[in-house]
Amino acid sequence: NLIKCKEIAYKFATYKPRSIKQIRDKLIENNFKENEILLTFEFLKKYNLIDDFDYSRKFILNYILTKRVGQRKIEYELLLKGISKEIVNKAINKFYPNNKVKEFIILEIKKKKNQILRKEKEKQYIYIYNYLSNKGFYIDSNLKEFIKFQIKNL
């Protein structure tokens, strides 16, 4: 039974990057006992097949390639995948491209240009502010002014 547990975990972990929680859930779903799961994790760690920090790095770098999102959105997604808050914060601090936040915001404003221009002048900023907040961007006073400037120049 332990061999079968290791086989399932190995296939699941090597097919694509997975968090420890995702692998644990898969093994529990297959009705393996806790001691078998623990021995399997030792096996996977021995061969560097599970590492939540490395998983977080890959997730962040891939996620921002396909979706322009802020740190909060990435933090939320990683926490959902069972990554500890400490590892999430460390990974975001190390791998999130803070120097590209303004670039992301410009692209998102351009993407929403038609919807923004349909709004009344007073509501344009609120609309884009809410949109960017939902995409996980932390909007401080510097970014507020930057966003207002970008909207004014549409």
Side-chain angles (χ1 to χ4, degrees), residues 3-19:
I3 292 171
K4 185 155 179 69
C5 184
K6 285 181 181 180
E7 283 176 10
I8 290 172
Y10 178 81
K11 285 178 185 174
F12 194 66
T14 56
Y15 177 71
K16 73 176 196 175
R18 311 271 187 184
S19 70

Side-chain angles (χ1 to χ4, degrees), residues 24-148:
R24 175 180 291 284
D25 291 348
K26 179 73 170 177
L27 296 175
I28 290 171
E29 179 185 304
N30 282 283
N31 298 318
F32 290 107
K33 296 178 183 136
E34 187 61 30
N35 65 328
E36 294 168 331
I37 293 172
L38 292 174
L39 291 170
T40 299
F41 279 149
E42 287 177 22
F43 164 77
L44 293 173
K45 284 179 184 173
K46 181 178 171 184
Y47 294 102
N48 295 323
L49 294 173
I50 54 171
D51 179 356
D52 276 351
F53 184 73
D54 189 52
Y55 173 81
S56 299
R57 177 187 64 81
K58 291 174 185 173
F59 180 86
I60 291 168
L61 297 176
N62 286 326
Y63 204 68
I64 60 173
L65 284 176
T66 58
K67 300 175 182 168
R68 294 177 295 266
V69 296
Q71 292 181 4
R72 273 197 342 246
K73 177 74 171 173
I74 289 174
E75 178 182 1
Y76 174 76
E77 292 293 331
L78 286 170
L79 290 172
L80 274 182
K81 294 180 182 305
I83 310 297
S84 75
K85 184 116 173 113
E86 180 185 331
I87 291 174
V88 169
N89 289 334
K90 197 186 297 184
I92 287 174
N93 289 335
K94 187 160 183 166
F95 302 113
Y96 185 80
N98 287 310
N99 59 332
K100 292 191 175 198
V101 169
K102 286 185 177 180
E103 180 184 326
F104 290 167
I105 287 175
I106 290 170
L107 291 169
E108 290 300 320
I109 289 173
K110 284 180 181 175
K111 180 175 140 185
K112 291 291 186 180
K113 180 180 179 179
N114 290 335
Q115 288 95 320
I116 294 169
L117 293 175
R118 281 191 228 135
K119 305 277 182 206
E120 298 170 25
K121 281 278 184 205
E122 311 81 53
K123 294 184 179 178
Q124 289 177 347
Y125 172 75
I126 294 167
Y127 172 78
I128 201 66
Y129 176 87
N130 289 336
Y131 174 75
L132 293 170
S133 291
N134 289 337
K135 295 228 19 152
F137 290 98
Y138 288 113
I139 300 176
D140 60 15
S141 57
N142 291 335
L143 280 180
K144 282 181 184 179
E145 293 306 314
F146 178 77
I147 293 167
K148 286 177 183 177

